[in-house]
Amino acid sequence: QVQLVESGGGLVQAGDSLRLSCAVSGLTFSAYGMGWFRQAPGKEREFVAGISRTGGRIDYAYSVKGRFTISRDNTKNMTYLEMITLKPEDTAVYYCAAQRWLYSEIPGGYSYWGQGTQVTVSS
């Protein structure tokens, strides 16, 4: 049974930092590209960051570039999203997702999703 479990969300003030974690089990982690997405109330789910199987290729949404850092540890089956200088517009439920071979910016391509973790940034 494949499981993706996010953690690390919370309520913070603008300018603060958070580190989200995603623990993956039930699949060969090193064979999957990983993505982080977010969904704010009333909005569509949007791509935040993606990382290739080895970590050699990384992409970010323009809105988070320079503030967010995605990483992975294939020895621990974990992926992370380090977020600094958080803004109120970063408020959303954050999801990690796994896609065979290579990540993409399209949510529909992902086979597995976590349940999400809430990030709320107050002004």
Side-chain angles (χ1 to χ4, degrees):
Q1 180 183 0
V2 177
Q3 285 192 311
L4 284 70
V5 181
E6 302 96 335
S7 61
L11 172 63
V12 297
Q13 293 187 330
D16 285 350
S17 302
L18 275 177
R19 187 194 197 206
L20 305 183
S21 299
C22 175
V24 181
S25 61
L27 53 73
T28 303
F29 184 65
S30 60
Y32 284 77
M34 298 299 298
W36 283 95
F37 289 77
R38 66 187 181 186
Q39 189 165 17
K43 295 188 176 181
E44 293 188 353
R45 191 166 298 190
E46 66 172 356
F47 173 80
V48 175
I51 187 166
S52 64
R53 290 174 288 158
T54 63
R57 178 177 172 177
I58 290 174
D59 282 306
Y60 297 97
Y62 179 80
S63 59
V64 306
K65 198 171 292 186
R67 299 188 299 120
F68 290 13
T69 302
I70 188 172
S71 62
R72 65 188 294 161
D73 185 339
N74 286 356
T75 67
K76 297 180 179 179
N77 288 11
M78 298 287 295
T79 186
Y80 307 96
L81 187 68
E82 190 83 34
M83 307 183 293
I84 66 170
T85 320
L86 283 160
K87 304 175 181 181
E89 50 264 43
D90 294 319
T91 295
V93 177
Y94 283 72
Y95 300 90
C96 67
Q99 177 169 281
R100 187 78 172 176
W101 302 126
L102 185 63
Y103 66 89
S104 75
E105 298 184 15
I106 310 301
Y110 287 78
S111 301
Y112 304 103
W113 290 84
Q115 83 290 346
T117 185
Q118 176 72 47
V119 172
T120 303
V121 185
S122 64
S123 58

